[in-house]
Amino acid sequence: MNEIYGAPQPLNGGELVTIWQTQSGLLAKCTMPLSQFLQFIFSSLPTTKPTTAGLPWNNSGVVSIS
């Protein structure tokens, strides 16, 4: 695991997010800016609050938990 030094800084969206995924026994790596990653997350979340507790949803651009 990488060490973290200093206090966390505000995110600006340009930070890189890397996802590792196993596909058919092969390891795939995808790196993208945080802002692009969040677009994928927000586009897949419902925009109305779920009736079931504990589910994520897009609350006007903020990820909320019902």
Tab-separated table of all heavy atoms in Angstrom:
chain	number	residue	atom	x	y	z
A	1	MET	N	0.841	-1.175	0.000
A	1	MET	CA	0.000	0.000	0.000
A	1	MET	C	0.887	1.239	0.000
A	1	MET	O	1.938	1.262	0.600
A	1	MET	CB	-0.912	-0.014	1.220
A	1	MET	CG	-1.782	1.212	1.301
A	1	MET	SD	-2.900	1.237	2.711
A	1	MET	CE	-4.279	0.423	1.973
A	2	ASN	N	0.424	2.288	-0.662
A	2	ASN	CA	1.171	3.536	-0.711
A	2	ASN	C	1.001	4.306	0.582
A	2	ASN	O	-0.041	4.257	1.216
A	2	ASN	CB	0.692	4.408	-1.877
A	2	ASN	CG	1.005	3.775	-3.211
A	2	ASN	OD1	1.928	2.994	-3.333
A	2	ASN	ND2	0.223	4.093	-4.208
A	3	GLU	N	2.028	5.010	0.975
A	3	GLU	CA	1.961	5.855	2.168
A	3	GLU	C	1.360	7.206	1.791
A	3	GLU	O	1.529	7.690	0.678
A	3	GLU	CB	3.364	6.066	2.740
A	3	GLU	CG	4.022	4.788	3.229
A	3	GLU	CD	3.324	4.197	4.434
A	3	GLU	OE1	2.842	4.956	5.284
A	3	GLU	OE2	3.243	2.961	4.506
A	4	ILE	N	0.650	7.809	2.724
A	4	ILE	CA	0.077	9.141	2.518
A	4	ILE	C	0.830	10.098	3.431
A	4	ILE	O	0.967	9.860	4.628
A	4	ILE	CB	-1.425	9.159	2.845
A	4	ILE	CG1	-2.168	8.219	1.890
A	4	ILE	CG2	-1.979	10.574	2.760
A	4	ILE	CD1	-3.636	8.080	2.187
A	5	TYR	N	1.319	11.180	2.858
A	5	TYR	CA	2.071	12.171	3.611
A	5	TYR	C	1.348	13.502	3.550
A	5	TYR	O	0.897	13.925	2.496
A	5	TYR	CB	3.484	12.324	3.038
A	5	TYR	CG	4.282	11.053	3.103
A	5	TYR	CD1	4.370	10.202	2.021
A	5	TYR	CD2	4.939	10.692	4.274
A	5	TYR	CE1	5.093	9.028	2.083
A	5	TYR	CE2	5.678	9.520	4.351
A	5	TYR	CZ	5.745	8.695	3.248
A	5	TYR	OH	6.461	7.530	3.325
A	6	GLY	N	1.231	14.172	4.677
A	6	GLY	CA	0.604	15.487	4.719
A	6	GLY	C	-0.905	15.386	4.821
A	6	GLY	O	-1.490	14.312	4.810
A	7	ALA	N	-1.528	16.524	4.923
A	7	ALA	CA	-2.982	16.598	5.051
A	7	ALA	C	-3.636	16.450	3.681
A	7	ALA	O	-3.063	16.851	2.666
A	7	ALA	CB	-3.379	17.934	5.674
A	8	PRO	N	-4.835	15.875	3.622
A	8	PRO	CA	-5.551	15.788	2.343
A	8	PRO	C	-5.800	17.179	1.769
A	8	PRO	O	-6.063	18.117	2.509
A	8	PRO	CB	-6.867	15.108	2.712
A	8	PRO	CG	-6.613	14.437	4.013
A	8	PRO	CD	-5.571	15.257	4.715
A	9	GLN	N	-5.730	17.278	0.475
A	9	GLN	CA	-5.963	18.541	-0.214
A	9	GLN	C	-7.314	18.473	-0.930
A	9	GLN	O	-7.796	17.388	-1.255
A	9	GLN	CB	-4.854	18.789	-1.241
A	9	GLN	CG	-3.459	18.860	-0.642
A	9	GLN	CD	-3.328	20.017	0.329
A	9	GLN	OE1	-3.680	21.143	0.014
A	9	GLN	NE2	-2.844	19.737	1.521
A	10	PRO	N	-7.940	19.621	-1.196
A	10	PRO	CA	-9.207	19.606	-1.937
A	10	PRO	C	-9.023	18.972	-3.315
A	10	PRO	O	-7.975	19.135	-3.950
A	10	PRO	CB	-9.554	21.088	-2.079
A	10	PRO	CG	-8.761	21.779	-1.024
A	10	PRO	CD	-7.516	20.953	-0.828
A	11	LEU	N	-10.025	18.231	-3.759
A	11	LEU	CA	-9.975	17.610	-5.079
A	11	LEU	C	-10.358	18.642	-6.133
A	11	LEU	O	-11.237	19.461	-5.919
A	11	LEU	CB	-10.943	16.428	-5.140
A	11	LEU	CG	-10.661	15.296	-4.153
A	11	LEU	CD1	-11.769	14.266	-4.218
A	11	LEU	CD2	-9.314	14.669	-4.428
A	12	ASN	N	-9.685	18.581	-7.295
A	12	ASN	CA	-10.010	19.515	-8.370
A	12	ASN	C	-10.566	18.815	-9.605
A	12	ASN	O	-10.920	19.464	-10.575
A	12	ASN	CB	-8.795	20.376	-8.733
A	12	ASN	CG	-7.648	19.565	-9.297
A	12	ASN	OD1	-7.851	18.502	-9.868
A	12	ASN	ND2	-6.437	20.063	-9.141
A	13	GLY	N	-10.638	17.475	-9.579
A	13	GLY	CA	-11.185	16.725	-10.707
A	13	GLY	C	-10.138	16.222	-11.666
A	13	GLY	O	-10.400	15.344	-12.476
A	14	GLY	N	-8.927	16.768	-11.603
A	14	GLY	CA	-7.862	16.328	-12.499
A	14	GLY	C	-7.068	15.141	-11.963
A	14	GLY	O	-6.227	14.587	-12.666
A	15	GLU	N	-7.348	14.745	-10.722
A	15	GLU	CA	-6.640	13.609	-10.139
A	15	GLU	C	-6.984	12.344	-10.922
A	15	GLU	O	-8.073	12.203	-11.456
A	15	GLU	CB	-7.046	13.408	-8.670
A	15	GLU	CG	-6.698	14.565	-7.774
A	15	GLU	CD	-7.696	15.711	-7.809
A	15	GLU	OE1	-8.679	15.645	-8.571
A	15	GLU	OE2	-7.486	16.671	-7.072
A	16	LEU	N	-6.044	11.422	-11.007
A	16	LEU	CA	-6.281	10.198	-11.761
A	16	LEU	C	-6.849	9.103	-10.868
A	16	LEU	O	-6.436	8.936	-9.729
A	16	LEU	CB	-4.984	9.715	-12.411
A	16	LEU	CG	-4.392	10.649	-13.459
A	16	LEU	CD1	-3.090	10.083	-14.007
A	16	LEU	CD2	-5.376	10.885	-14.587
A	17	VAL	N	-7.805	8.370	-11.424
A	17	VAL	CA	-8.418	7.221	-10.767
A	17	VAL	C	-8.042	6.005	-11.603
A	17	VAL	O	-8.192	6.020	-12.826
A	17	VAL	CB	-9.958	7.361	-10.725
A	17	VAL	CG1	-10.603	6.104	-10.173
A	17	VAL	CG2	-10.353	8.576	-9.925
A	18	THR	N	-7.535	4.960	-10.961
A	18	THR	CA	-7.178	3.736	-11.665
A	18	THR	C	-8.022	2.588	-11.143
A	18	THR	O	-8.133	2.392	-9.939
A	18	THR	CB	-5.677	3.410	-11.502
A	18	THR	OG1	-4.912	4.499	-12.014
A	18	THR	CG2	-5.305	2.143	-12.246
A	19	ILE	N	-8.621	1.855	-12.069
A	19	ILE	CA	-9.440	0.696	-11.737
A	19	ILE	C	-8.777	-0.531	-12.353
A	19	ILE	O	-8.425	-0.535	-13.532
A	19	ILE	CB	-10.875	0.847	-12.289
A	19	ILE	CG1	-11.540	2.069	-11.675
A	19	ILE	CG2	-11.685	-0.417	-12.059
A	19	ILE	CD1	-12.839	2.440	-12.324
A	20	TRP	N	-8.598	-1.566	-11.541
A	20	TRP	CA	-8.086	-2.854	-12.005
A	20	TRP	C	-9.252	-3.827	-11.998
A	20	TRP	O	-9.987	-3.922	-11.022
A	20	TRP	CB	-6.992	-3.366	-11.081
A	20	TRP	CG	-5.734	-2.547	-11.126
A	20	TRP	CD1	-5.460	-1.429	-10.392
A	20	TRP	CD2	-4.602	-2.768	-11.944
A	20	TRP	NE1	-4.223	-0.946	-10.701
A	20	TRP	CE2	-3.661	-1.756	-11.661
A	20	TRP	CE3	-4.272	-3.729	-12.890
A	20	TRP	CZ2	-2.428	-1.682	-12.281
A	20	TRP	CZ3	-3.037	-3.647	-13.500
A	20	TRP	CH2	-2.129	-2.637	-13.206
A	21	GLN	N	-9.429	-4.577	-13.089
A	21	GLN	CA	-10.542	-5.510	-13.184
A	21	GLN	C	-10.068	-6.788	-13.856
A	21	GLN	O	-9.304	-6.750	-14.823
A	21	GLN	CB	-11.669	-4.887	-14.004
A	21	GLN	CG	-12.865	-5.771	-14.191
A	21	GLN	CD	-13.948	-5.106	-15.028
A	21	GLN	OE1	-13.796	-3.970	-15.473
A	21	GLN	NE2	-15.030	-5.804	-15.257
A	22	THR	N	-10.525	-7.928	-13.339
A	22	THR	CA	-10.224	-9.208	-13.966
A	22	THR	C	-11.313	-9.530	-14.971
A	22	THR	O	-12.497	-9.515	-14.636
A	22	THR	CB	-10.131	-10.329	-12.916
A	22	THR	OG1	-9.135	-9.975	-11.964
A	22	THR	CG2	-9.769	-11.652	-13.554
A	23	GLN	N	-10.904	-9.775	-16.217
A	23	GLN	CA	-11.839	-10.111	-17.286
A	23	GLN	C	-11.367	-11.401	-17.943
A	23	GLN	O	-10.280	-11.429	-18.540
A	23	GLN	CB	-11.903	-9.001	-18.335
A	23	GLN	CG	-12.386	-7.674	-17.813
A	23	GLN	CD	-12.282	-6.568	-18.850
A	23	GLN	OE1	-11.624	-6.707	-19.868
A	23	GLN	NE2	-12.925	-5.449	-18.569
A	24	SER	N	-12.145	-12.460	-17.825
A	24	SER	CA	-11.806	-13.759	-18.426
A	24	SER	C	-10.407	-14.216	-18.023
A	24	SER	O	-9.640	-14.716	-18.837
A	24	SER	CB	-11.915	-13.694	-19.954
A	24	SER	OG	-13.200	-13.278	-20.345
A	25	GLY	N	-10.057	-13.995	-16.766
A	25	GLY	CA	-8.762	-14.417	-16.257
A	25	GLY	C	-7.621	-13.465	-16.562
A	25	GLY	O	-6.485	-13.709	-16.166
A	26	LEU	N	-7.880	-12.389	-17.279
A	26	LEU	CA	-6.857	-11.400	-17.600
A	26	LEU	C	-7.111	-10.136	-16.797
A	26	LEU	O	-8.250	-9.768	-16.544
A	26	LEU	CB	-6.859	-11.085	-19.096
A	26	LEU	CG	-6.599	-12.259	-20.024
A	26	LEU	CD1	-6.797	-11.841	-21.473
A	26	LEU	CD2	-5.199	-12.816	-19.811
A	27	LEU	N	-6.039	-9.458	-16.441
A	27	LEU	CA	-6.154	-8.233	-15.662
A	27	LEU	C	-6.193	-7.027	-16.595
A	27	LEU	O	-5.324	-6.859	-17.447
A	27	LEU	CB	-4.960	-8.119	-14.709
A	27	LEU	CG	-5.037	-7.057	-13.629
A	27	LEU	CD1	-6.235	-7.298	-12.717
A	27	LEU	CD2	-3.771	-7.069	-12.801
A	28	ALA	N	-7.236	-6.208	-16.456
A	28	ALA	CA	-7.381	-4.998	-17.260
A	28	ALA	C	-7.223	-3.791	-16.354
A	28	ALA	O	-7.687	-3.789	-15.218
A	28	ALA	CB	-8.748	-4.966	-17.936
A	29	LYS	N	-6.544	-2.757	-16.862
A	29	LYS	CA	-6.306	-1.532	-16.096
A	29	LYS	C	-6.879	-0.350	-16.876
A	29	LYS	O	-6.646	-0.219	-18.075
A	29	LYS	CB	-4.802	-1.338	-15.895
A	29	LYS	CG	-4.422	-0.051	-15.210
A	29	LYS	CD	-2.909	0.080	-15.146
A	29	LYS	CE	-2.471	1.414	-14.595
A	29	LYS	NZ	-1.026	1.569	-14.615
A	30	CYS	N	-7.641	0.503	-16.175
A	30	CYS	CA	-8.207	1.695	-16.794
A	30	CYS	C	-7.904	2.887	-15.889
A	30	CYS	O	-8.216	2.852	-14.702
A	30	CYS	CB	-9.711	1.521	-16.971
A	30	CYS	SG	-10.528	2.994	-17.607
A	31	THR	N	-7.286	3.923	-16.442
A	31	THR	CA	-6.978	5.139	-15.695
A	31	THR	C	-7.657	6.315	-16.381
A	31	THR	O	-7.602	6.438	-17.607
A	31	THR	CB	-5.456	5.366	-15.627
A	31	THR	OG1	-4.854	4.240	-14.982
A	31	THR	CG2	-5.112	6.627	-14.856
A	32	MET	N	-8.325	7.147	-15.573
A	32	MET	CA	-9.022	8.314	-16.119
A	32	MET	C	-9.043	9.420	-15.072
A	32	MET	O	-8.854	9.138	-13.885
A	32	MET	CB	-10.451	7.943	-16.528
A	32	MET	CG	-11.333	7.556	-15.365
A	32	MET	SD	-12.984	7.025	-15.858
A	32	MET	CE	-12.622	5.420	-16.508
A	33	PRO	N	-9.286	10.660	-15.494
A	33	PRO	CA	-9.413	11.750	-14.521
A	33	PRO	C	-10.621	11.524	-13.611
A	33	PRO	O	-11.633	10.946	-14.026
A	33	PRO	CB	-9.609	12.990	-15.383
A	33	PRO	CG	-9.159	12.615	-16.747
A	33	PRO	CD	-9.376	11.142	-16.866
A	34	LEU	N	-10.520	11.980	-12.383
A	34	LEU	CA	-11.602	11.857	-11.417
A	34	LEU	C	-12.899	12.448	-11.959
A	34	LEU	O	-13.970	11.865	-11.790
A	34	LEU	CB	-11.212	12.541	-10.104
A	34	LEU	CG	-12.269	12.593	-9.014
A	34	LEU	CD1	-12.663	11.189	-8.579
A	34	LEU	CD2	-11.774	13.410	-7.836
A	35	SER	N	-12.832	13.590	-12.636
A	35	SER	CA	-14.041	14.230	-13.166
A	35	SER	C	-14.756	13.319	-14.167
A	35	SER	O	-15.986	13.231	-14.160
A	35	SER	CB	-13.702	15.571	-13.805
A	35	SER	OG	-12.762	15.390	-14.841
A	36	GLN	N	-14.021	12.610	-15.004
A	36	GLN	CA	-14.628	11.695	-15.973
A	36	GLN	C	-15.225	10.478	-15.257
A	36	GLN	O	-16.326	10.035	-15.573
A	36	GLN	CB	-13.594	11.239	-16.988
A	36	GLN	CG	-14.155	10.346	-18.069
A	36	GLN	CD	-13.088	9.903	-19.056
A	36	GLN	OE1	-11.902	10.170	-18.883
A	36	GLN	NE2	-13.498	9.214	-20.094
A	37	PHE	N	-14.523	9.960	-14.265
A	37	PHE	CA	-15.008	8.826	-13.486
A	37	PHE	C	-16.336	9.163	-12.803
A	37	PHE	O	-17.280	8.384	-12.818
A	37	PHE	CB	-13.951	8.422	-12.465
A	37	PHE	CG	-14.364	7.302	-11.557
A	37	PHE	CD1	-14.524	6.016	-12.044
A	37	PHE	CD2	-14.578	7.534	-10.219
A	37	PHE	CE1	-14.896	4.980	-11.213
A	37	PHE	CE2	-14.951	6.503	-9.368
A	37	PHE	CZ	-15.111	5.221	-9.867
A	38	LEU	N	-16.415	10.373	-12.227
A	38	LEU	CA	-17.644	10.786	-11.559
A	38	LEU	C	-18.808	10.909	-12.525
A	38	LEU	O	-19.955	10.642	-12.163
A	38	LEU	CB	-17.423	12.089	-10.794
A	38	LEU	CG	-16.516	11.977	-9.571
A	38	LEU	CD1	-16.274	13.348	-8.951
A	38	LEU	CD2	-17.082	11.013	-8.552
A	39	GLN	N	-18.530	11.301	-13.771
A	39	GLN	CA	-19.599	11.371	-14.778
A	39	GLN	C	-20.207	9.992	-15.000
A	39	GLN	O	-21.419	9.854	-15.123
A	39	GLN	CB	-19.069	11.921	-16.100
A	39	GLN	CG	-18.797	13.398	-16.072
A	39	GLN	CD	-18.182	13.897	-17.373
A	39	GLN	OE1	-18.056	13.162	-18.341
A	39	GLN	NE2	-17.795	15.158	-17.379
A	40	PHE	N	-19.353	8.950	-15.035
A	40	PHE	CA	-19.859	7.579	-15.191
A	40	PHE	C	-20.718	7.188	-14.000
A	40	PHE	O	-21.775	6.584	-14.147
A	40	PHE	CB	-18.710	6.575	-15.335
A	40	PHE	CG	-18.003	6.643	-16.641
A	40	PHE	CD1	-16.652	6.921	-16.682
A	40	PHE	CD2	-18.670	6.421	-17.831
A	40	PHE	CE1	-15.984	6.974	-17.894
A	40	PHE	CE2	-18.018	6.473	-19.053
A	40	PHE	CZ	-16.658	6.754	-19.081
A	41	ILE	N	-20.267	7.524	-12.809
A	41	ILE	CA	-21.014	7.170	-11.599
A	41	ILE	C	-22.359	7.891	-11.581
A	41	ILE	O	-23.406	7.276	-11.380
A	41	ILE	CB	-20.206	7.502	-10.336
A	41	ILE	CG1	-19.008	6.562	-10.221
A	41	ILE	CG2	-21.080	7.405	-9.089
A	41	ILE	CD1	-18.085	6.897	-9.078
A	42	PHE	N	-22.337	9.201	-11.799
A	42	PHE	CA	-23.573	9.975	-11.722
A	42	PHE	C	-24.572	9.563	-12.798
A	42	PHE	O	-25.770	9.542	-12.550
A	42	PHE	CB	-23.304	11.470	-11.807
A	42	PHE	CG	-22.725	12.050	-10.554
A	42	PHE	CD1	-21.581	12.817	-10.589
A	42	PHE	CD2	-23.321	11.824	-9.326
A	42	PHE	CE1	-21.043	13.358	-9.424
A	42	PHE	CE2	-22.792	12.357	-8.155
A	42	PHE	CZ	-21.653	13.123	-8.208
A	43	SER	N	-24.090	9.225	-13.990
A	43	SER	CA	-25.017	8.861	-15.070
A	43	SER	C	-25.704	7.529	-14.802
A	43	SER	O	-26.778	7.267	-15.340
A	43	SER	CB	-24.288	8.823	-16.413
A	43	SER	OG	-23.349	7.768	-16.433
A	44	SER	N	-25.115	6.684	-13.958
A	44	SER	CA	-25.721	5.377	-13.685
A	44	SER	C	-26.597	5.380	-12.434
A	44	SER	O	-27.283	4.396	-12.167
A	44	SER	CB	-24.634	4.310	-13.554
A	44	SER	OG	-23.835	4.567	-12.422
A	45	LEU	N	-26.577	6.455	-11.662
A	45	LEU	CA	-27.373	6.524	-10.437
A	45	LEU	C	-28.746	7.114	-10.716
A	45	LEU	O	-28.889	8.011	-11.542
A	45	LEU	CB	-26.668	7.384	-9.387
A	45	LEU	CG	-25.374	6.835	-8.804
A	45	LEU	CD1	-24.762	7.853	-7.848
A	45	LEU	CD2	-25.605	5.522	-8.098
A	46	PRO	N	-29.772	6.629	-9.996
A	46	PRO	CA	-31.097	7.233	-10.160
A	46	PRO	C	-31.098	8.666	-9.630
A	46	PRO	O	-30.343	8.996	-8.717
A	46	PRO	CB	-32.008	6.336	-9.310
A	46	PRO	CG	-31.109	5.690	-8.321
A	46	PRO	CD	-29.775	5.556	-8.992
A	47	THR	N	-31.938	9.506	-10.198
A	47	THR	CA	-32.015	10.903	-9.762
A	47	THR	C	-33.154	11.130	-8.771
A	47	THR	O	-33.335	12.247	-8.302
A	47	THR	CB	-32.177	11.846	-10.966
A	47	THR	OG1	-33.311	11.422	-11.714
A	47	THR	CG2	-30.939	11.831	-11.844
A	48	THR	N	-33.921	10.100	-8.483
A	48	THR	CA	-34.938	10.180	-7.438
A	48	THR	C	-34.516	9.268	-6.293
A	48	THR	O	-33.944	8.203	-6.517
A	48	THR	CB	-36.325	9.757	-7.955
A	48	THR	OG1	-36.249	8.453	-8.514
A	48	THR	CG2	-36.834	10.719	-9.002
A	49	LYS	N	-34.798	9.698	-5.076
A	49	LYS	CA	-34.374	8.952	-3.889
A	49	LYS	C	-35.042	7.574	-3.854
A	49	LYS	O	-36.263	7.473	-3.934
A	49	LYS	CB	-34.743	9.736	-2.634
A	49	LYS	CG	-34.273	9.088	-1.355
A	49	LYS	CD	-34.630	9.935	-0.149
A	49	LYS	CE	-34.192	9.269	1.132
A	49	LYS	NZ	-34.512	10.087	2.313
A	50	PRO	N	-34.231	6.496	-3.768
A	50	PRO	CA	-34.811	5.150	-3.692
A	50	PRO	C	-35.645	4.990	-2.415
A	50	PRO	O	-35.345	5.588	-1.380
A	50	PRO	CB	-33.590	4.231	-3.653
A	50	PRO	CG	-32.465	5.048	-4.199
A	50	PRO	CD	-32.773	6.461	-3.820
A	51	THR	N	-36.669	4.170	-2.498
A	51	THR	CA	-37.511	3.925	-1.332
A	51	THR	C	-36.846	2.966	-0.347
A	51	THR	O	-37.183	2.948	0.832
A	51	THR	CB	-38.877	3.351	-1.754
A	51	THR	OG1	-38.662	2.176	-2.537
A	51	THR	CG2	-39.656	4.372	-2.569
A	52	THR	N	-35.860	2.188	-0.824
A	52	THR	CA	-35.124	1.269	0.036
A	52	THR	C	-33.964	2.015	0.683
A	52	THR	O	-33.237	2.745	0.006
A	52	THR	CB	-34.586	0.082	-0.785
A	52	THR	OG1	-35.674	-0.532	-1.459
A	52	THR	CG2	-33.879	-0.920	0.083
A	53	ALA	N	-33.787	1.832	1.972
A	53	ALA	CA	-32.686	2.501	2.690
A	53	ALA	C	-31.338	1.904	2.297
A	53	ALA	O	-31.229	0.715	2.011
A	53	ALA	CB	-32.897	2.355	4.188
A	54	GLY	N	-30.310	2.761	2.256
A	54	GLY	CA	-28.937	2.316	2.034
A	54	GLY	C	-28.486	2.271	0.595
A	54	GLY	O	-27.401	1.779	0.311
A	55	LEU	N	-29.263	2.806	-0.341
A	55	LEU	CA	-28.885	2.796	-1.756
A	55	LEU	C	-28.368	4.171	-2.193
A	55	LEU	O	-28.909	5.200	-1.797
A	55	LEU	CB	-30.084	2.406	-2.619
A	55	LEU	CG	-30.634	0.998	-2.403
A	55	LEU	CD1	-31.864	0.773	-3.256
A	55	LEU	CD2	-29.569	-0.044	-2.705
A	56	PRO	N	-27.310	4.189	-3.035
A	56	PRO	CA	-26.811	5.483	-3.521
A	56	PRO	C	-27.731	6.057	-4.592
A	56	PRO	O	-28.380	5.322	-5.329
A	56	PRO	CB	-25.446	5.119	-4.107
A	56	PRO	CG	-25.571	3.697	-4.506
A	56	PRO	CD	-26.527	3.066	-3.540
A	57	TRP	N	-27.781	7.392	-4.659
A	57	TRP	CA	-28.542	8.069	-5.697
A	57	TRP	C	-27.933	9.435	-5.976
A	57	TRP	O	-27.168	9.968	-5.191
A	57	TRP	CB	-30.020	8.160	-5.333
A	57	TRP	CG	-30.363	8.986	-4.131
A	57	TRP	CD1	-30.087	8.699	-2.841
A	57	TRP	CD2	-31.049	10.232	-4.112
A	57	TRP	NE1	-30.558	9.690	-2.015
A	57	TRP	CE2	-31.164	10.641	-2.762
A	57	TRP	CE3	-31.595	11.045	-5.095
A	57	TRP	CZ2	-31.783	11.826	-2.392
A	57	TRP	CZ3	-32.218	12.222	-4.713
A	57	TRP	CH2	-32.317	12.594	-3.382
A	58	ASN	N	-28.221	9.991	-7.158
A	58	ASN	CA	-27.701	11.282	-7.598
A	58	ASN	C	-28.632	12.372	-7.082
A	58	ASN	O	-29.687	12.612	-7.649
A	58	ASN	CB	-27.605	11.312	-9.123
A	58	ASN	CG	-27.090	12.630	-9.654
A	58	ASN	OD1	-26.948	13.601	-8.930
A	58	ASN	ND2	-26.799	12.664	-10.938
A	59	ASN	N	-28.239	13.011	-6.003
A	59	ASN	CA	-29.029	14.051	-5.356
A	59	ASN	C	-28.544	15.412	-5.849
A	59	ASN	O	-27.765	16.086	-5.207
A	59	ASN	CB	-28.891	13.915	-3.835
A	59	ASN	CG	-29.757	14.871	-3.068
A	59	ASN	OD1	-30.531	15.612	-3.642
A	59	ASN	ND2	-29.606	14.852	-1.748
A	60	SER	N	-28.966	15.795	-7.053
A	60	SER	CA	-28.565	17.068	-7.673
A	60	SER	C	-27.051	17.214	-7.753
A	60	SER	O	-26.485	18.246	-7.410
A	60	SER	CB	-29.178	18.247	-6.909
A	60	SER	OG	-30.575	18.162	-6.918
A	61	GLY	N	-26.361	16.159	-8.187
A	61	GLY	CA	-24.915	16.202	-8.360
A	61	GLY	C	-24.116	15.775	-7.155
A	61	GLY	O	-22.900	15.843	-7.156
A	62	VAL	N	-24.794	15.333	-6.112
A	62	VAL	CA	-24.129	14.852	-4.892
A	62	VAL	C	-24.542	13.398	-4.689
A	62	VAL	O	-25.738	13.092	-4.741
A	62	VAL	CB	-24.520	15.686	-3.661
A	62	VAL	CG1	-23.924	15.103	-2.391
A	62	VAL	CG2	-24.116	17.140	-3.841
A	63	VAL	N	-23.577	12.499	-4.504
A	63	VAL	CA	-23.924	11.115	-4.224
A	63	VAL	C	-24.454	11.039	-2.798
A	63	VAL	O	-23.761	11.395	-1.860
A	63	VAL	CB	-22.716	10.166	-4.398
A	63	VAL	CG1	-23.097	8.738	-4.006
A	63	VAL	CG2	-22.208	10.210	-5.824
A	64	SER	N	-25.709	10.622	-2.670
A	64	SER	CA	-26.347	10.495	-1.357
A	64	SER	C	-26.751	9.037	-1.148
A	64	SER	O	-26.883	8.274	-2.092
A	64	SER	CB	-27.590	11.378	-1.283
A	64	SER	OG	-27.237	12.740	-1.378
A	65	ILE	N	-26.959	8.673	0.091
A	65	ILE	CA	-27.413	7.333	0.451
A	65	ILE	C	-28.824	7.466	1.009
A	65	ILE	O	-29.065	8.269	1.907
A	65	ILE	CB	-26.484	6.680	1.509
A	65	ILE	CG1	-25.034	6.682	1.027
A	65	ILE	CG2	-26.962	5.275	1.853
A	65	ILE	CD1	-24.759	5.865	-0.191
A	66	SER	N	-29.740	6.682	0.447
A	66	SER	CA	-31.141	6.760	0.891
A	66	SER	C	-31.315	6.225	2.306
A	66	SER	O	-30.495	5.522	2.831
A	66	SER	CB	-32.033	5.977	-0.069
A	66	SER	OG	-31.672	4.611	-0.076
